[in-house]
Amino acid sequence: MLQVDLAHLRRFRSWRVIAVNNTWELVPWADVLYACDLVWWERYGDRASAFAGERWTMNSAAALLYRLKKVGKRDGQGLCPDRGYVNTGGNGGYQAVNLAYHFGARRIVLLGFDMHRNNGGHWHGEHEDMLSAPDSHISCWVRMFEPLARDLMALGVDVVNATPGSALPWFPMKPMAEALR
């Protein structure tokens, strides 16, 4: 994410932007901050209270403690079409894609979905404790995106991966500027 020209993204104000976890710090003007875990909100919630957009979670305790909007969780595969619910997919990025669908998105551009640690992991450094995922989880997450991609395609939702070097093969790759046109 540090190599992506996010100022370019801001020029496309017709796009709604969902920032997942700490990425809101790179795009404080995003429309939505989504973080699913209570542990994340406990660690970063005070800082994230400065975020001006909508703040969402799937965790009931976090929603109550931090006055967040809440989406329900399901553990199915692919897209959860039930309004107000998302399938977990094991990670917040997956859930944010499902949430974008519920927001009415018919074109979704993925940024920051590298799905590997080849460049050292998260742009902000790795999380500690329960927020860090072992590499085995990441390879599982990649596989879980396949039914999500299939479901979105069947519904006519165009998803483009604009993450340079992404290991996520289920969506066509394009540079961000091209994907946003």
Side-chain angles (χ1 to χ4, degrees):
M1 287 300 294
L2 295 176
Q3 282 73 45
V4 175
D5 182 4
L6 295 170
H8 183 75
L9 174 62
R10 192 171 190 178
R11 288 191 285 272
F12 290 86
R13 292 307 299 156
S14 62
W15 287 85
R16 273 190 93 186
V17 175
I18 300 174
V20 177
N21 295 338
N22 297 65
T23 302
W24 78 270
E25 294 174 309
L26 294 177
V27 288
W29 42 264
D31 301 286
V32 174
L33 161 58
Y34 180 79
C36 58
D37 301 304
L38 175 60
V39 174
W40 187 93
W41 286 103
E42 289 172 336
R43 184 167 301 141
Y44 302 108
D46 288 341
R47 249 182 20 217
S49 67
F51 181 75
E54 296 178 10
R55 297 177 309 144
W56 284 78
T57 189
M58 70 167 41
N59 184 281
S60 296
L64 185 63
L65 289 168
Y66 296 94
R67 297 187 175 143
L68 311 172
K69 295 185 179 210
K70 183 182 173 295
V71 63
K73 76 175 190 171
R74 299 269 166 84
D75 290 320
Q77 290 191 353
L79 181 75
C80 181
D82 302 333
R83 223 144 153 69
Y85 293 89
V86 297
N87 285 333
T88 65
N91 68 88
Y94 185 104
Q95 296 154 27
V97 170
N98 203 148
L99 194 59
Y101 170 78
H102 289 311
F103 288 160
R106 292 303 169 254
R107 182 169 175 85
I108 299 171
V109 177
L110 306 177
L111 292 168
F113 283 70
D114 51 5
M115 296 293 170
H116 58 72
R117 288 203 172 97
N118 297 350
N119 301 322
H122 291 98
W123 66 267
H124 52 78
E126 291 305 290
H127 295 292
E128 299 170 4
D129 308 325
M130 292 177 57
L131 289 175
S132 280
D135 289 347
S136 60
H137 282 75
I138 296 171
S139 60
C140 179
W141 296 343
V142 169
R143 288 190 305 276
M144 294 182 87
F145 269 92
E146 183 179 17
L148 179 63
R150 216 175 21 247
D151 291 349
L152 290 165
M153 183 184 295
L155 291 167
V157 179
D158 183 26
V159 182
V160 176
N161 189 347
T163 307
S166 176
L168 194 59
W170 316 117
F171 307 103
M173 298 284 300
K174 290 184 181 175
M176 180 176 59
E178 187 180 330
L180 293 173
R181 285 192 202 119

